Structures are given as structure tokens and as C-alpha cells.
């Protein structure tokens, strides 16, 4: 069978056998799991395992194939470890029925007691919906979640085909120096997201994680919404409110690894590593210190697929951003590997079992919710990542354009302004796998973590503490603001078929992100968002926020993502970039000193043009050197239509063709 992936990218033809093997693996595993049926029919483990109400009480089931015995303990039995023994069923399943509706209650603390090796071991139940840490013993316990059924107004919202994603973290979204809540985010931050023009939330750190400083990427309880921020119904209220505001919501899902903790995570639940993970070195991530799933094991696949279904059906998430895809699909996790040729994608280093799982995951997600959206965080650019499975692909809708933020950091850090190469900028931002869609971004949470800096702070550093007041003249701040606006405009208009921003970066949030830890005295000072900076109209942050709003509005109104960028002039020596997209004309002059009084733009066609957005407008902190009233009329020189325009240094302008 010939797959369309070869039509889209003929350079893959030498690897036809590898793509064929990819598709055979997928078909074989799917048949092994569900025969001729649907994946939906086997992605139901959460409906069977865990705690469920019955007509006259509760039933609790656990999967622990290597355990000798399993017991249930908790508040309901004064923590007697062995008073409630589960019955062993086939397949390593244990079960107990608790009579009486009040035997368990909302907020009741519980633990599984797993017996193996002649000893009893405390465990957090695998499918528990809520987890809390005891403030005195520091032990993690499952908590029965039996809130009243949430009454949805709008459980799902189909994601827009023009994505403007606001990446966010509930805990650090507030100004206060402590962990924020679901309710505070709903009340205080959602209105900001709406006003800024973003139509999609991408929420990090929802799946329960013991260590707050892991940014949510070391998950312990996969079916528990983090109790750090509130209750399950409060999260549902947040998502419901976002939907009512026209904002779809994506979960930053972590299926690439799990926390290595024993007792409060999956690791060694039944006394074995093999229950969920690979044995030996293959089961340990060398850089993250976490455990790695065995994606070939059917029970593990069922657990993970059920997890995806759960978050869509229970909480109304509209899709997922899959974390750590590169780590999943290569045995070396992409660490130190330069993916310079196609052979790097199809070798013994490729984890074909992980690729099969991702194909199954994408298929299952669409079976649960047809309009769901998926994004892959893959820095390797694996071919077919965002092509349909039936075309030979892996099935994601978008991949993150992870090269873009690296480009900007390297330019700012390693090169003088006058050495910025505009061909390099254009090439990096427009490089795509054929027929695949990308999410462009200049910086996410990754670029602002401790040890790094947000772009604005990297550009301006300590000057931001003293010179961000409107009216203060400071060259460093002026340069930083000019480049911040240009970087965001060029990234949005060239970098993808969607756009992402991490909360606060739209107004140039200063400093870095540093979670409370022993090294900083467990301080929240750098683990929050200083909204007062943008709310204070006497400060220049207001200029950057206003520019971001207008840029998002322009891109949305003009459906800019529906067309490809077309270069018109890339002047390396003059550092000027001219291109078209979405019927708009863009001119970006990155030169720190070079300005052009009569810069000729060859449009290739007759017409009149008018500037509709400029980084140099006074409302954005500029000098209004580019008129938004003047009409530029093309003339014909040497057989080519064009016009001349004044282009100041470090400015970008967008023009539209008028009648």
C-alpha cells in the first residue's frame, strides 16, 4: 500500500519499509487490543477500577498482578491496615464491596495497603480522583471525591482553526506569593485572557504531582486533578466558564514519563517496576530521574488511553498538548542527538512502540470527542508527526515550532544586533514538514525558568527595575521594547499555523520563574505573575500589552494562518525582511542603525497600500514615524510594480492593499 506521506515528502521514499513497519505495528497492536472494534471500548479502565458508588455502598477495585494481597484502609476504619481485605479476581484484579452509603464520604482519606515480600506497603490508589498530602506526616493519601454532580453549561467548545493559545499555570497565575486556586484563576485571569484576544487555554500542571517545583511534569496520580488548587468541581467550573467565554481548553498531558516515587506514584505499586515501566536502565530517564512506560504492554496502553478519555469526558477538556514526545520516541530521548538527516528518524534508536502508542492515542481521542485537538511537543521534527494516521502519519493536529525560541535566544545572547541574519530568521520560522501544521511561539514557560530569562528581561535586564516608567528615556529599554514587538510580530506572522504565548510574556513580564525550593528558602517571589505592572498605565508594560492585543486582533481578523508566507525581499546586508501573508504585506527592519527614507518594496502587482499596524506607533511606545494615514501608490520601474516607504531602524510595519 502506498501512503500519502510519500507524496507529501518524496525524500522519505528510501525509508518506505520503515513507514510500512510503522503502519503494520499500529494495525497489529490495535487488533490485539480491540479486534475489529473501537479503541473506545477498551479505554474504560477508569470506569471499572478505583472507587465507584453502588446502590447500597461502594466498590473498590485495584490492579496489582504481583501483589500477594491488597487491603483498603482510611478514615472510615480508623486506619486499621488489614481490616478490609480485597478479594482476588482473575488477571491480577482485587475487589471489595463496602455496604452502607455512608461507609465512605466526600473528603474521606484512604490508602491501599499492598502486601508483597512478606510486608505491608502503603500506596495511593491508582485510579483515585483526588489526592492530599498530610501536613504533619507528609504522607500522600487518596481522598474520596463525592461532590454533587457538576451541572455543565457548555461542556465542550470546538477549538478554533485559528489558534491563539495562552499557556498558563494555575498556581503561579496570581500576584500573591502563594499558590493560586482554580477559583482565583477563573475570577481574575480568564477575563484577562479574553481581553487579550486569546481563544485557547493550555493549562499546565493539572495532573497531580508531589513536587510543585516539577512544573507538573512529574505526575504521580494520573486521574487526579491537582488538589493544590482546589476541588474537581472548581476545575470544572473554570473550564465551563472558559467555554462560555469562547475559550477552548487544552490539557498539558504527561504520558512521556512518571514520577519515580514509591508510595505516592505508580512505581512499585504491586512490588514490581514492570507493572507499568520497563525494567533496568530502559525504565529510567537519565536526565529527569523519572520512570518510563512500557508502551508495548496492553495493560499500560489501556491505562493511558483510559486516562485520555477520562480527562475529556470528566472535565470537558477540548484536547491535549502532549509533553515530552521527543523523549518518548527515541531510546536516547533525543539527548544530544542532532537530527540532521532522515536516517536519524528511522534507526535502532527509534522507539517504535511509543510511536504506535501515540497513533492509538490520537485515534482514541477523536473517538471520544471528534473535534478534539492534539499538539505534539517534538523538537526532533519526526516526519509524519502531524499527518493523519491513514496517510502514514502519527495523527497529531499541530507540532510546536520548538526551533523558534531557540533561535531568538541565540541571536540575543550570542550575536550583536547588527549581525542578525534575516535569511536565517526567515528560514527558521518558515521551515515546516510538508503538509504539517505548526504552533509558532517566541517563548513559552521553558525559556523563562530559573537559570534563563524571559525575552524582555534578557534584552533589558536590571534596567527594567528603574526605567520602565513612561516618559523615562533609556536606550536599553527602548531597544528591548522595539525588539520585543518585532520578535512577536515576525514569529506570529511567519512561525506557524497557530500561535502560543506564556502568561505574562505578552506584556514583557520581567525576571524568571523559580518555584519554591530549598535553594531559595521555599519562596514564591518568582513563582507568580506581577499583573500590577501591566495594570499601571504609567508604566511601559502597557505599551507591550496593547501591541500584543492589536497584533492578535489583526491576525484573527485577516485569517492569517490560512495561507503560507511568501518572501518578497530578504536583504541580508540591510537586515530588512519583506514578505506577504494572508493578503497583508510585512516589512521588518532589524538593523539597529540603518533607516531607509525611500525603501522600495516590489509588490509584483498594481495597487494602493496603507499601513494598518506598526511597532513604531505611539500607542505602543513608538514615535509614529510611519504614517497610518498615508496611501502608498505603486509605480512601475524596470517592469516591476512597487512603492517606496520610510522604514526606521528596529521597526516592523504591516500594510494592506486597498482598492
Amino acid at each position: 500500500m502506498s501512503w500519502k506521506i510519500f507524496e507529501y515528502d518524496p525524500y522519505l521514499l528510501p525509508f518506505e519499509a520503515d513507514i510500512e513497519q510503522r503502519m503494520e505495528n499500529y494495525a497489529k497492536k490495535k487488533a490485539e487490543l480491540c479486534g475489529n472494534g473501537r479503541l473506545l471500548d477498551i479505554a474504560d479502565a477508569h470506569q471499572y477500577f478505583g472507587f465507584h458508588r453502588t446502590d447500597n455502598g461502594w466498590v473498590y477495585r485495584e490492579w496489582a498482578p504481583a501483589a500477594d494481597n491488597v487491603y483498603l484502609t482510611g478514615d472510615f476504619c480508623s486506619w486499621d491496615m488489614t481490616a478490609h481485605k480485597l478479594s482476588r479476581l482473575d488477571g491480577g484484579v482485587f475487589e471489595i464491596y463496602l455496604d452502607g452509603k455512608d461507609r465512605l464520604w466526600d473528603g474521606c482519606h484512604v490508602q491501599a495497603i499492598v502486601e508483597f515480600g512478606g510486608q505491608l506497603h502503603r500506596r495511593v490508589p491508582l485510579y483515585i480522583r483526588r489526592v492530599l498530602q498530610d501536613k504533619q506526616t507528609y504522607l500522600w493519601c487518596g481522598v474520596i471525591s463525592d461532590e454533587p454532580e457538576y451541572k455543565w453549561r457548555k461542556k465542550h467548545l470546538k477549538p478554533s482553526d485559528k489558534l491563539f493559545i495562552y499557556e498558563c499555570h494555575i498556581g503561579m497565575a496570581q500576584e500573591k506569593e502563594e499558590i493560586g486556586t482554580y477559583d482565583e484563576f477563573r475570577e481574575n485571569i480568564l477575563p484577562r485572557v479574553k481581553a487579550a484576544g486569546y481563544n485557547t487555554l493550555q493549562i499546565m500542571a493539572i495532573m497531580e504531582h508531589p513536587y510543585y517545583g516539577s512544573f507538573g511534569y512529574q505526575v504521580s496520580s494520573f486521574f487526579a486533578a491537582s488538589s493544590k488548587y482546589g476541588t474537581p468541581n472548581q476545575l470544572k467550573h473554570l473550564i465551563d466558564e472558559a467555554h462560555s467565554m469562547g475559550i477552548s481548553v487544552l490539557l498539558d498531558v504527561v504520558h512521556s514519563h512518571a514520577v519515580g516515587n514509591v508510595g505516592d506514584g505508580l512505581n512499585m505499586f504491586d512490588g514490581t517496576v514492570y507493572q507499568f515501566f520497563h525494567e533496568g536502565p530502559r525504565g529510567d530517564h537519565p536526565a529527569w530521574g523519572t520512570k518510563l512506560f512500557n508502551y508495548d504492554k496492553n495493560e499500560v496502553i489501556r491505562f493511558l488511553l483510559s486516562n485520555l478519555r477520562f480527562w475529556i469526558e470528566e472535565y470537558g477538556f477540548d484536547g491535549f498538548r502532549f509533553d515530552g514526545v521527543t523523549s518518548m520516541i527515541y531510546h536516547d530521548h533525543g539527548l544530544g542527538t542532532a537530527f540532521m538527516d532522515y536516517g536519524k528518524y528511522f534507526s535502532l534508536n527509534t522507539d517504535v512502540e511509543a510511536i504506535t502508542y501515540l497513533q492509538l492515542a490520537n485515534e482514541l481521542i477523536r473517538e471520544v470527542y471528534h473535534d478534539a485537538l492534539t499538539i505534539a511537543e517534538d523538537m526532533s521534527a519526526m516526519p509524519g508527526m502531524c499527518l493523519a494516521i491513514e496517510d502514514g502519519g502519527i495523527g497529531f493536529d499541530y507540532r510546536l515550532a520548538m526551533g523558534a525560541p531557540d533561535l531568538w535566544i541565540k541571536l540575543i545572547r550570542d550575536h550583536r544586533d547588527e549581525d542578525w541574519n534575516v535569511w536565517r530568521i526567515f528560514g527558521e520560522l518558515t521551515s515546516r514538514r510538508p503538509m504539517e501544521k505548526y504552533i509558532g511561539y517566541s517563548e513559552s514557560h521553558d525559556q523563562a525558568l530559573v537559570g534563563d530569562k524571559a525575552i524582555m528581561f534578557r534584552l533589558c535586564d536590571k534596567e527594567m527595575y528603574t526605567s520602565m516608567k513612561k516618559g523615562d528615556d533609556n536606550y536599553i529599554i527602548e531597544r528591548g521594547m522595539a525588539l520585543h514587538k518585532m520578535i512577536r510580530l515576525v514569529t506570529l506572522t511567519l512561525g506557524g499555523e497557530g500561535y502560543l504565548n506564556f502568561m505574562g510574556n505578552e506584556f514583557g513580564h520581567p525576571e524568571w520563574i523559580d518555584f519554591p525550593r530549598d535553594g531559595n528558602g521555599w519562596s514564591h517571589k518568582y513563582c507568580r505573575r506581577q499583573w500590577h505592572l501591566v495594570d499601571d498605565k504609567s508604566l511601559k508594560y502597557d505599551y507591550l500589552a496593547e501591541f500584543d492585543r492589536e497584533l492578535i486582533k489583526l491576525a484573527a481578523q485577516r485569517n492569517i494562518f490560512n495561507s503560507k508566507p511568501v518572501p518578497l525581499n530578504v536583504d541580508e546586508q540591510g537586515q530588512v525582511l519583506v514578505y506577504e501573508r494572508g493578503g497583508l504585506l510585512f516589512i521588518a527592519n532589524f538593523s539597529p542603525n540603518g533607516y531607509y527614507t525611500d525603501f522600495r518594496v516590489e509588490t509584483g502587482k498594481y495597487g494602493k497600500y496603507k499601513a494598518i499596524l506598526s511597532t513604531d506607533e505611539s500607542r505602543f511606545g513608538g514615535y509614529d514615524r510611519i504614517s497610518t494615514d498615508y496611501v502608498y501608490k505603486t509605480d512601475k520601474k524596470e517592469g516591476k510594480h512597487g512603492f517606496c516607504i520610510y522604514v526606521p531602524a528596529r521597526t516592523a510595519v504591516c500594510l494592506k492593499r486597498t482598492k
Side-chain angles (χ1 to χ4, degrees), residues 293-344:
F293 288 106
N294 181 348
Y295 298 111
D296 192 46
K297 192 170 181 178
N298 289 352
E299 294 88 347
V300 173
I301 294 175
R302 187 185 181 199
F303 177 86
L304 294 174
L305 293 182
S306 299
N307 190 234
L308 296 171
R309 179 179 180 179
F310 168 79
W311 288 108
I312 295 173
E313 292 185 340
E314 182 70 19
Y315 284 96
F317 281 100
D318 305 303
F320 302 96
R321 179 263 203 189
F322 275 70
D323 171 67
V325 168
T326 305
S327 177
M328 295 175 69
I329 62 178
Y330 303 102
H331 293 301
D332 69 356
H333 314 296
L335 299 173
T337 300
F339 295 92
M340 303 299 290
D341 62 80
Y342 278 48
K344 296 288 187 181

Side-chain angles (χ1 to χ4, degrees), residues 55-330:
D55 291 339
N56 63 345
W58 293 80
V59 60
Y60 167 53
R61 299 186 186 95
E62 202 65 88
W63 177 62
D68 297 321
N69 289 295
V70 177
Y71 306 87
L72 177 64
T73 189
D75 291 335
F76 70 98
C77 65
S78 301
W79 293 95
D80 186 324
M81 294 180 70
T82 59
H84 292 78
K85 183 179 179 180
L86 278 67
S87 301
R88 179 187 288 273
L89 308 181
D90 293 336
V93 176
F94 292 81
E95 174 186 85
I96 188 172
Y97 283 86
L98 301 172
D99 294 332
K101 292 184 179 180
D102 296 327
R103 179 61 68 92
L104 299 178
W105 60 89
D106 184 57
C108 177
H109 293 65
V110 293
Q111 283 184 335
I113 304 299
V114 183
E115 184 178 0
F116 56 84
Q119 293 184 325
L120 301 177
H121 304 268
R122 293 183 181 273
R123 296 289 187 261
V124 172
L126 292 176
Y127 288 83
I128 196 72
R129 308 290 178 89
R130 184 162 161 75
V131 178
L132 287 174
Q133 185 180 31
D134 187 279
K135 295 181 179 179
Q136 294 181 333
T137 66
Y138 297 104
L139 290 176
W140 288 84
C141 295
V143 180
I144 299 300
S145 182
D146 193 29
E147 296 178 296
E149 182 180 355
Y150 183 80
K151 303 299 183 183
W152 291 91
R153 289 175 294 165
K154 193 173 184 61
K155 191 168 187 179
H156 285 293
L157 180 68
K158 180 180 179 180
S160 173
D161 59 358
K162 43 191 178 188
L163 287 176
F164 299 99
I165 301 173
Y166 202 78
E167 184 187 37
C168 58
H169 183 284
I170 302 297
M172 62 174 291
Q174 304 305 315
E175 181 119 10
K176 62 181 182 179
E177 293 187 33
E178 56 186 89
I179 298 175
T181 68
Y182 296 125
D183 284 345
E184 288 172 329
F185 190 96
R186 174 177 53 80
E187 294 168 1
N188 302 329
I189 310 305
L190 274 182
R192 292 181 181 274
V193 177
K194 178 67 175 178
Y198 292 86
N199 58 22
T200 308
L201 274 183
Q202 179 179 299
I203 310 183
M204 310 169 60
I206 291 297
M207 303 166 76
E208 190 59 89
H209 48 290
Y211 180 43
Y212 188 50
S214 75
F215 229 139
Y217 291 124
Q218 294 187 10
V219 175
S220 54
S221 295
F222 281 72
F223 290 85
S226 181
S227 60
K228 295 175 177 67
Y229 322 123
T231 68
N233 273 1
Q234 288 170 336
L235 173 57
K236 292 173 185 178
H237 192 182
L238 187 166
I239 294 170
D240 198 12
E241 183 72 14
H243 288 162
S244 71
M245 297 170 72
I247 299 171
S248 58
V249 186
L250 309 180
L251 174 67
D252 195 347
V253 71
V254 184
H255 281 186
S256 46
H257 60 137
V259 71
N261 298 13
V262 174
D264 53 359
L266 307 184
N267 193 21
M268 297 286 290
F269 182 87
D270 71 347
T272 69
V273 171
Y274 180 69
Q275 184 181 7
F276 285 98
F277 310 115
H278 289 290
E279 295 276 9
R282 190 179 176 189
D284 297 313
H285 197 292
W288 299 341
T290 49
K291 303 301 295 182
L292 301 175
F293 288 106
N294 181 348
Y295 298 111
D296 192 46
K297 192 170 181 178
N298 289 352
E299 294 88 347
V300 173
I301 294 175
R302 187 185 181 199
F303 177 86
L304 294 174
L305 293 182
S306 299
N307 190 234
L308 296 171
R309 179 179 180 179
F310 168 79
W311 288 108
I312 295 173
E313 292 185 340
E314 182 70 19
Y315 284 96
F317 281 100
D318 305 303
F320 302 96
R321 179 263 203 189
F322 275 70
D323 171 67
V325 168
T326 305
S327 177
M328 295 175 69
I329 62 178
Y330 303 102

Side-chain angles (χ1 to χ4, degrees), residues 415-421 572-573 575 590-593 650:
H415 299 272
R416 301 182 307 162
D417 291 3
E418 51 266 43
D419 294 331
W420 286 22
N421 186 308
E572 289 184 76
Q573 185 173 359
Q575 294 183 286
F590 281 96
S591 173
N593 302 307
R650 287 202 187 106

Side-chain angles (χ1 to χ4, degrees), residues 407-408 411 416-423 425-426 429 479 482-491 494 571-579 587-596 647-652:
L407 166 74
W408 295 121
L411 287 174
R416 301 182 307 162
D417 291 3
E418 51 266 43
D419 294 331
W420 286 22
N421 186 308
V422 290
W423 254 126
I425 292 171
F426 184 84
L429 294 181
R479 166 186 175 266
L483 287 176
H484 190 273
K485 289 180 286 185
M486 290 189 71
I487 287 170
R488 297 181 79 80
L489 181 144
V490 170
T491 301
L494 289 177
D571 184 350
E572 289 184 76
Q573 185 173 359
Q575 294 183 286
V576 180
L577 184 58
V578 184
Y579 56 94
I587 307 170
N589 178 13
F590 281 96
S591 173
N593 302 307
Y595 63 92
Y596 305 90
V647 183
R650 287 202 187 106
T651 60

